[in-house]
């Protein structure tokens, strides 16, 4: 998507998607009016301006018809977009999430999430794999309106949602969560939400080649198809 000050996907990411035979095109919901039927996966990368009610309705209709959305949040609170996530059982905490146990170089906002490999999009991730998230929004799974909800990247029990020094809420927070809903004719709607753009952040990918950030993003995009997958040579 574009039109909300989203971050464009870097070349490193689009090249990986191209290897999976996925063409990437931009979409503005205000001018298009709806998500095109030919859209197999809709990506939302770190928007910094909120969505209109019409745009939220278009996203809701797309998901209700079995669409797949991969959403990476920014550090800006967007009530309308977050309201859509609530409908799928995903509640975004205020502020940014820190982890005082699993962090990088004395920065509790640069966290190494725990990976649950029991979710389909992480099933191929090695047990010792590492992902790194920075300045992420924390999420919790509430009573899902849809079928299933699965946090697959979480902080340790030492997680904290921080608004400011006087407003901090300890807890275990997800920075990666998947909500699904079975639609007629064997179609399943998928809403994958990451707490930041870290899975597609070229600076992180380039600086830390051993991270699984990029492969996790490609998996989130491709796992909903029987005939598409990531490629490593």
């Amino acid at each position: 998507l574009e039109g909300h000050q989203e971050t464009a996907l870097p070349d490193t990411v689009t090249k990986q998607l191209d290897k999976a035979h996925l063409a990437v095109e931009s979409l503005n919901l205000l001018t298009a009016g709806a998500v095109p039927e030919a859209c197999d996966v809709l990506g939302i990368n770190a928007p910094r301006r909120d969505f209109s009610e019409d745009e939220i309705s278009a996203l809701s209709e797309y998901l209700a018809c079995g669409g797949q959305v991969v959403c990476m949040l920014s550090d800006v609170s967007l009530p309308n977009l977050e309201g859509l996530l609530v409908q799928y059982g995903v509640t975004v905490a205020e502020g940014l999430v820190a982890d005082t146990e699993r962090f990088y170089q004395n920065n509790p906002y640069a966290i190494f999430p725990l990976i649950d490999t029991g979710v389909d999009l992480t099933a191929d991730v090695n047990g010792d794999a590492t992902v790194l998230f920075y300045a992420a929004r924390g999420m919790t799974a509430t009573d899902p309106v849809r079928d299933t909800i699965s946090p697959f990247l979480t902080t340790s029990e030492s997680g904290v949602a921080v608004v400011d020094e006087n407003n901090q809420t300890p807890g275990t927070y997800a920075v990666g969560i998947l909500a699904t809903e079975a639609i007629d004719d064997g179609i399943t709607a998928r809403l994958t939400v990451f707490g930041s753009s870290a899975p597609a952040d070229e600076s992180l990918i380039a600086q830390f080649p051993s991270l699984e950030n990029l492969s996790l993003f490609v998996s989130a995009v491709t796992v909903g198809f029987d005939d598409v997958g990531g490629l490593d040579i």
Side-chain angles (χ1 to χ4, degrees):
L1 281 183
E2 62 181 13
H4 315 90
Q5 294 186 352
E6 292 92 344
T7 301
L9 290 177
D11 289 342
T12 303
V13 175
T14 56
K15 287 178 180 178
Q16 286 296 111
L17 296 178
D18 182 64
K19 290 179 181 179
H21 301 286
L22 293 174
V24 180
E25 297 182 8
S26 297
L27 171 67
N28 188 312
L29 280 177
L30 283 180
T31 58
V35 180
E37 291 185 7
C39 178
D40 295 311
V41 181
L42 182 65
I44 305 174
N45 188 19
R48 304 191 65 81
R49 289 186 176 178
D50 209 354
F51 290 60
S52 68
E53 292 184 3
D54 289 342
E55 290 174 303
I56 294 297
S57 295
L59 292 175
S60 297
E61 182 176 348
Y62 174 68
L63 285 165
C65 293
Q68 301 187 60
V69 174
V70 177
C71 177
M72 294 182 286
L73 301 174
S74 71
D75 57 0
V76 178
S77 178
L78 305 176
N80 291 343
L81 178 59
E82 292 169 23
L84 174 63
L85 303 185
V86 168
Q87 296 178 30
Y88 283 81
V90 179
T91 298
V92 183
E94 291 188 65
L96 300 179
V97 68
D99 193 328
T100 57
E101 179 180 335
R102 297 176 58 85
F103 57 87
Y104 176 69
Q105 287 194 347
N106 300 317
N107 183 352
Y109 293 99
I111 66 175
F112 296 110
L114 297 165
I115 305 173
D116 180 359
T117 57
V119 180
D120 57 3
L121 68 90
T122 58
D124 294 332
V125 176
N126 294 327
D128 59 351
T130 303
V131 297
L132 178 61
F133 274 57
Y134 176 72
R137 306 292 302 280
M139 299 172 285
T140 55
T142 53
D143 292 336
V145 177
R146 316 299 169 169
D147 292 342
T148 65
I149 185 164
S150 306
F152 58 89
L153 297 176
T154 61
T155 67
S156 70
E157 294 181 353
S158 300
V160 186
V162 181
V163 177
D164 54 47
E165 61 180 11
N166 298 316
N167 188 354
Q168 303 183 15
T169 306
T172 300
Y173 293 92
V175 293
I177 198 165
L178 169 67
T180 62
E181 180 182 22
I183 310 296
D184 293 340
D185 301 324
I187 299 172
T188 300
R190 297 176 61 94
L191 173 62
T192 306
V193 188
F194 292 104
S196 80
S197 61
D201 187 317
E202 189 158 31
S203 61
L204 282 178
I205 295 168
Q207 186 176 356
F208 303 99
S210 62
L211 292 178
E212 293 291 336
N213 286 37
L214 178 56
S215 61
L216 191 64
F217 174 73
V218 173
S219 178
V221 172
T222 60
V223 73
F225 303 100
D226 294 331
D227 57 349
V228 177
L231 177 65
D232 290 321
I233 297 177

